Amino acid sequence: RPQFDADQGAKAVENAGGVIEMHHGSHAEKVVYINLVENKTLEPDEDDQRFIVDGWAAGKFGLDVPKFLIAAAATVEMLGGPKKAKIVIPSISPAQIAEALQGRGWDAEIVTDASMAGQLVDVRPEGILKCVDGRGSDNTRMGGPKMPGGIYAIAHNRGVTSIEGLKQITKEVASKGHLPSVHGDHSSDMLGCGFFKLWVTGRFDDMGYPRPQFDADQGAKAVENAGGVIEMHHGSHAEKVVYINLVENKTLEPDEDDQRFIVDGWAAGKFGLDVPKFLIAAAATVEMLGGPKKAKIVIPSISPAQIAEALQGRGWDAEIVTDASMAGQLVDVRPEGILKCVDGRGSDNTRMGGPKMPGGIYAIAHNRGVTSIEGLKQITKEVASKGHLPSVHGDHSSDMLGCGFFKLWVTGRFDDMGYPRPQ
């Protein structure tokens, strides 16, 4: 259990730069949305209440996702909430990606992150957002996500062709916690990036992508002037496989002695790109450069179907729906929105658009077994460093014990699940 009470926890969060939210009214949630669409959320509506659990956010903070989802379900059950769930997934599934590649003549298979033990690593803010290129490099700042051409992939997908637009993307990437980069190589200088060379010479014209209004040197200079990094690759291409990684906030690292293309598909969602177009462009790039038409699509070990099955085993009515069916309800996550509780009631908070987890940031502490005030302060700062406004909440009837999740935790209702109480 936590080693602090509700008032002490709230004060610690506030002192560390977080926000205290106060809810009002009675619980009347009709459904639990478990949202797996990265960097999207739903908003509470006190007149049509629903619990909103942004499952993707558990991955962003490196939590044990099955435990996180089980704790969320148990919370709803213990609070007498509705045992009805809608699991929201992206419209394009791993199976559809594999099928599309196979239709282009590729050998494509789906593998889980569990089968990639020792290869998948946590994304680190000091690592550059770099190209998918598998060759050796002068870069030592590893651990960043990988997209074709580095940040050129974002410009290409959005149809941004100006130097000013490229500079804005450079700054955007930095604001979202990554070190922006583009690259050249030791034989062709800044035209050593195959993706950019294809783009600037019109090889994507028939796919509807306008060409950049700058050359390779001008693009590199603009990125550098806006705070980005220029990477230089060496050696010849000898990639044997293309990894398309859909496990959020994880990546693989290049190995010049055992080369592979690495496409962090989840990163396309983070930057609000058209994901199917992004993946098709990545595949076309490999094809036009004469690369291997062999892909491994890496997915989380727990699937939406398994989540639904687990809930159904607890007596829930659970169905899987796509983001396309949620048009007008799913919204982009915004940095000014608080990372708040899943609670569907009305609130004094006007800073909407943040992700939602049980108890707000208490969910992170709970999942990690953090029970001290100092640990809670560190989590508050971590959430802010990852681009969200941290919060916990109370309500107008019970003050800071108005958060049902925290009340269950501090009173020992999670003891039999192995969660230590807050100190």
Side-chain angles (χ1 to χ4, degrees), residues 79-114:
L79 294 177
K83 294 175 75 171
K84 179 180 180 181
K86 293 193 176 186
I87 302 160
V88 188
I89 64 170
S91 294
I92 183 167
S93 70
Q96 289 172 312
I97 295 169
E99 185 178 349
L101 289 171
Q102 289 160 354
R104 300 173 73 99
W106 288 54
D107 172 15
E109 66 172 317
I110 296 170
V111 299
T112 68
D113 52 2

Side-chain angles (χ1 to χ4, degrees), residues 224-347:
E224 194 170 34
N225 287 344
V229 171
I230 307 305
E231 178 186 30
M232 296 303 285
H233 288 190
H234 56 255
S236 300
H237 281 287
E239 291 88 355
K240 304 179 185 74
V241 64
V242 181
Y243 281 94
I244 299 172
N245 172 38
L246 305 180
V247 183
E248 187 194 352
N249 288 301
K250 297 282 188 178
T251 191
L252 295 97
E253 294 295 29
D255 178 351
E256 62 183 303
D257 298 319
D258 186 16
Q259 290 183 31
R260 54 197 177 182
F261 287 112
I262 302 158
V263 181
D264 284 315
W266 62 264
K270 179 166 188 174
F271 291 98
L273 306 188
D274 182 318
V275 178
K277 280 181 64 178
F278 172 85
L279 294 174
I280 291 167
T285 299
V286 172
E287 293 165 1
M288 288 190 282
L289 294 176
K293 294 175 75 170
K294 179 180 180 181
K296 293 191 176 187
I297 302 160
V298 188
I299 64 169
S301 293
I302 183 169
S303 69
Q306 288 172 314
I307 295 169
E309 186 178 349
L311 289 171
Q312 289 160 354
R314 299 173 74 99
W316 287 54
D317 172 16
E319 65 173 316
I320 296 170
V321 299
T322 67
D323 53 1
S325 72
M326 301 288 293
Q329 296 189 68
L330 276 178
V331 299
D332 291 334
V333 166
R334 300 183 301 142
E336 61 269 29
I338 64 171
L339 189 157
K340 65 180 259 85
C341 187
V342 303
D343 192 315
R345 294 177 294 169
S347 163

Side-chain angles (χ1 to χ4, degrees), residues 128-135 144-157 160 166 169-170 173 179-185 189-200 204 212 214-216 219-224 228-233 237 239 242 260-264 267 271 273 278-279 281-286 289:
I128 65 171
L129 189 158
K130 65 179 258 86
C131 187
V132 303
D133 193 314
R135 293 177 293 169
K146 295 160 189 74
M147 307 171 82
I151 71 164
Y152 283 144
I154 301 173
H156 181 262
N157 190 273
V160 172
L166 186 62
I169 287 170
T170 305
V173 169
L179 193 54
S181 85
V182 294
H183 82 92
D185 71 15
D189 204 36
M190 293 315 302
L191 263 181
C193 173
F195 177 80
F196 183 81
K197 188 173 182 178
L198 293 170
W199 185 21
V200 78
F204 290 110
F214 49 85
D215 63 26
K221 192 68 175 173
V223 169
E224 194 170 34
V229 171
I230 307 305
E231 178 186 30
M232 296 303 285
H233 288 190
H237 281 287
E239 291 88 355
V242 181
R260 54 197 177 182
F261 287 112
I262 302 158
V263 181
D264 284 315
F271 291 98
L273 306 188
F278 172 85
L279 294 174
T285 299
V286 172
L289 294 176

Side-chain angles (χ1 to χ4, degrees), residues 8-20:
Q8 291 168 331
K11 191 69 176 173
V13 170
E14 193 169 36
N15 287 344
V19 171
I20 307 304

Side-chain angles (χ1 to χ4, degrees), residues 24-45:
H24 55 256
S26 301
H27 282 287
E29 291 88 353
K30 305 178 186 74
V31 63
V32 181
Y33 281 94
I34 299 173
N35 172 38
L36 304 180
V37 183
E38 187 195 350
N39 288 301
K40 297 283 188 178
T41 191
L42 294 97
E43 294 295 28
D45 179 351

